[in-house]
Amino acid sequence: NEKDSDATNNFILAGRKVTLPFFVASLVATWYGNILGIGEFVYRKGLVAWFCFGIVYYASAFIYAVFVATKVRGSLFQSIPEQIGARFGKYSQTISSVVILLITFPAVYVLMVGVLFQMFTGLNFIVSVVLGTVISAVYLSIGGFRSNIVTNSVQFILMYVGFGILLIYSLASVNFDISIVNNLPSSHKQFFGEESWQYIFSWFLISLQTFVDPSFYQRCATAKSPKTARNGILVSIIFWILFDSLTIVSGLIAKVKFPNIEPILAYPVLSDNVLPHILKGIFIVSMLATIISTMDSYSFLSGLIIGKEFLAKSRLFRRISAVNHVRIGIVISCAFSISIAIAIPSAIDIIYKTSSIVVPALLIPLVASYTNRAIFTPTQVNLLMMLSSVATLFFSILKEYAKHFSTNFFSFILGFEPMVFGVIFSLFLSLMFLLTPKK
């Protein structure tokens, strides 16, 4: 009925009334969940991090803002699977739901929250993982996406305050002497470092995850108007440039001052050595807020997909409301992510890298769903999603296997990034389908 529909709309899309400031704060905060990984990348590779984690993403976000954001806000759909399903049918919706869950389970962020909770409180690691995740699940289940928007806005402020303090004190620790960059390895001072063109290009392809990222879609769908969705992304790009300035300069200073530390600890070690005790606590909270903001968003999004695409269609859960489907989905998502973070923390990186599988599988079908022309049949779209994801997964496994052999064939395999292979395979398959006569 209309009352239930309004309740669902408010819980899932915050009533489609999110204004520009809240839109920007939420989107910007969600961007930086892997903050420790960014510190590691800057510490190990230098300025090339700005290209790999910054410029290519700015470009993808700009294209999304200009060509996609208003279409998303103008549609009636609440998720990417619904968008694809409305154009290509229920089987396409189910397949895209399974594929997109690979990048929406927040296991990697649950792990990092656990590590920082342990650092901050001294609690046992397992207790830290569970406690950090449960707190997030509770307020998401009560307030829905509106709670996510509000907490993201607070986290947005904390992340800029924390890293602003870190940069000021880091510069003060070297007497604001810019010439310290001369002490960096030569590769750290080159904009593209010593990386191959294929490695650089693969990061551009990875940035295309923006187009299939459910957090982008969800926020555009909740915006007050199509104009708010478009302008919100454009303003967010400015804030991303500002925050990247804080994180990259801080990471380079960490490399100069502490050249032999564990790279992933670049920011924690730097803060521990340059900040007074009170400000050190503020910085740890800001790092925690940066990670939790992303964990919140992906917990909600994976819960939404589980609830709407699987629970709502099962006989066991059919009688309960759509809002409760999402709430149960959030619980399932958090429980699954906690289990992975505790059981196999060394494998979390594999989960994080699943964007190499998702982008080739979903990019072309999603773009095709916005057109009115019959470019592909539903069967072709289903095959494109399934074959692209399976082929890219197989190639990723083969690449790991190839490290143990030195034959020409395996050396050739090692020269390709899985993302590059996946996109080429997807484009080739799409071209074949385009050239196939339609009935």
Side-chain angles (χ1 to χ4, degrees):
N1 58 37
E2 188 174 339
K3 185 177 179 180
D4 288 340
S5 178
D6 288 341
T8 303
N9 195 46
N10 283 324
F11 188 84
I12 295 175
L13 297 176
R16 292 187 186 262
K17 296 177 181 177
V18 177
T19 57
L20 185 66
F22 285 101
F23 180 100
V24 171
S26 180
L27 186 61
V28 170
T30 302
W31 190 277
Y32 290 101
N34 192 24
I35 189 65
L36 295 178
I38 293 172
E40 178 184 6
F41 199 97
V42 176
Y43 187 92
R44 290 176 56 205
K45 297 182 180 292
L47 278 178
V48 69
W50 210 323
F51 182 85
C52 296
F53 279 96
I55 291 173
V56 291
Y57 283 96
Y58 310 151
S60 292
F62 180 83
I63 296 169
Y64 192 100
V66 174
F67 296 104
V68 181
T70 55
K71 292 182 182 293
V72 173
R73 180 56 184 85
S75 75
L76 299 175
F77 309 118
Q78 298 175 341
S79 66
I80 288 175
E82 281 190 13
Q83 172 73 40
I84 293 176
R87 185 70 179 81
F88 299 109
K90 63 179 183 179
Y91 294 115
S92 298
Q93 185 167 335
T94 300
I95 293 168
S96 62
S97 297
V98 173
V99 172
I100 212 164
L101 274 175
L102 292 174
I103 57 169
T104 51
F105 278 125
V108 66
Y109 310 113
V110 166
L111 175 66
M112 286 190 284
V113 165
V115 169
L116 286 180
F117 247 78
Q118 184 181 32
M119 182 188 301
F120 188 57
T121 64
L123 292 171
N124 173 274
F125 173 69
I126 294 177
V127 174
S128 298
V129 168
V130 173
L131 184 61
T133 310
V134 167
I135 292 172
S136 172
V138 167
Y139 64 72
L140 285 176
S141 297
I142 294 172
F145 196 69
R146 198 183 301 275
S147 294
N148 188 204
I149 293 288
V150 172
T151 54
N152 279 174
S153 300
V154 176
Q155 291 152 350
F156 168 83
I157 296 170
L158 285 172
M159 60 190 270
Y160 279 91
V161 169
F163 275 89
I165 290 171
L166 179 65
L167 180 59
I168 291 171
Y169 275 83
S170 298
L171 289 171
S173 72
V174 294
N175 299 315
F176 295 93
D177 183 7
I178 306 301
S179 65
I180 62 163
V181 298
N182 295 326
N183 297 327
L184 287 168
S186 59
S187 61
H188 281 57
K189 293 179 282 187
Q190 300 170 24
F191 193 70
F192 292 111
E194 296 178 343
E195 308 301 333
S196 67
W197 70 267
Q198 189 183 154
Y199 181 83
I200 297 296
F201 182 63
S202 71
W203 277 99
F204 170 74
L205 295 178
I206 290 171
S207 76
L208 297 179
Q209 182 177 333
T210 300
F211 291 88
V212 298
D213 190 325
S215 65
F216 262 75
Y217 191 98
Q218 183 82 359
R219 277 152 186 78
C220 289
T222 63
K224 191 174 182 179
S225 67
K227 184 178 179 181
T228 300
R230 183 195 64 207
N231 293 346
I233 296 176
L234 296 177
V235 173
S236 294
I237 293 172
I238 297 172
F239 279 99
W240 286 324
I241 293 171
L242 174 60
F243 192 73
D244 286 340
S245 303
L246 300 176
T247 58
I248 289 172
V249 175
S250 297
L252 293 176
I253 293 175
K255 179 65 178 178
V256 172
K257 290 178 67 69
F258 312 103
N260 298 309
I261 62 173
E262 189 70 32
I264 199 168
L265 298 177
Y267 296 140
V269 169
L270 181 63
S271 66
D272 194 45
N273 283 271
V274 303
L275 294 180
H277 286 297
I278 294 177
L279 295 182
K280 197 182 301 180
I282 293 174
F283 178 72
I284 292 174
V285 170
S286 75
M287 274 206 303
L288 197 58
T290 304
I291 298 168
I292 288 177
S293 63
T294 307
M295 185 181 76
D296 288 350
S297 296
Y298 284 98
S299 296
F300 186 85
L301 290 165
S302 55
L304 173 63
I305 292 172
I306 293 170
K308 292 202 69 176
E309 303 301 330
F310 300 103
L311 299 183
K313 297 175 182 177
S314 71
R315 292 183 178 181
L316 183 62
F317 296 97
R318 191 174 295 170
R319 293 182 179 277
I320 66 177
S321 69
V323 168
N324 286 330
H325 287 148
V326 179
R327 285 175 173 150
I328 297 172
I330 291 171
V331 173
I332 293 172
S333 172
C334 289
F336 180 75
S337 299
I338 288 172
S339 300
I340 295 174
I342 292 173
I344 46 171
S346 61
I348 291 298
D349 281 345
I350 298 174
I351 297 171
Y352 183 69
K353 293 173 182 176
T354 48
S355 59
S356 295
I357 298 171
V358 175
V359 172
L362 290 185
L363 183 60
I364 294 175
L366 184 58
V367 171
S369 74
Y370 292 116
T371 69
N372 292 322
R373 296 178 58 193
I375 300 176
F376 302 110
T377 66
T379 300
Q380 288 175 336
V381 167
N382 296 342
L383 286 171
L384 182 57
M385 289 189 289
M386 290 189 294
L387 293 178
S388 295
S389 55
V390 170
T392 309
L393 175 61
F394 176 77
F395 185 86
S396 300
I397 296 171
L398 187 62
K399 186 176 172 69
E400 291 297 317
Y401 185 74
K403 293 178 181 178
H404 305 291
F405 298 90
S406 57
T407 64
N408 291 335
F409 172 73
F410 285 112
S411 297
F412 174 77
I413 294 294
L414 282 171
F416 271 91
E417 293 293 326
M419 174 73 81
V420 176
F421 169 83
V423 170
I424 292 174
F425 182 86
S426 180
L427 288 172
F428 175 75
L429 207 57
S430 299
L431 183 60
M432 284 181 56
F433 290 152
L434 287 172
L435 296 176
T436 302
K438 306 290 188 298
K439 290 185 179 179

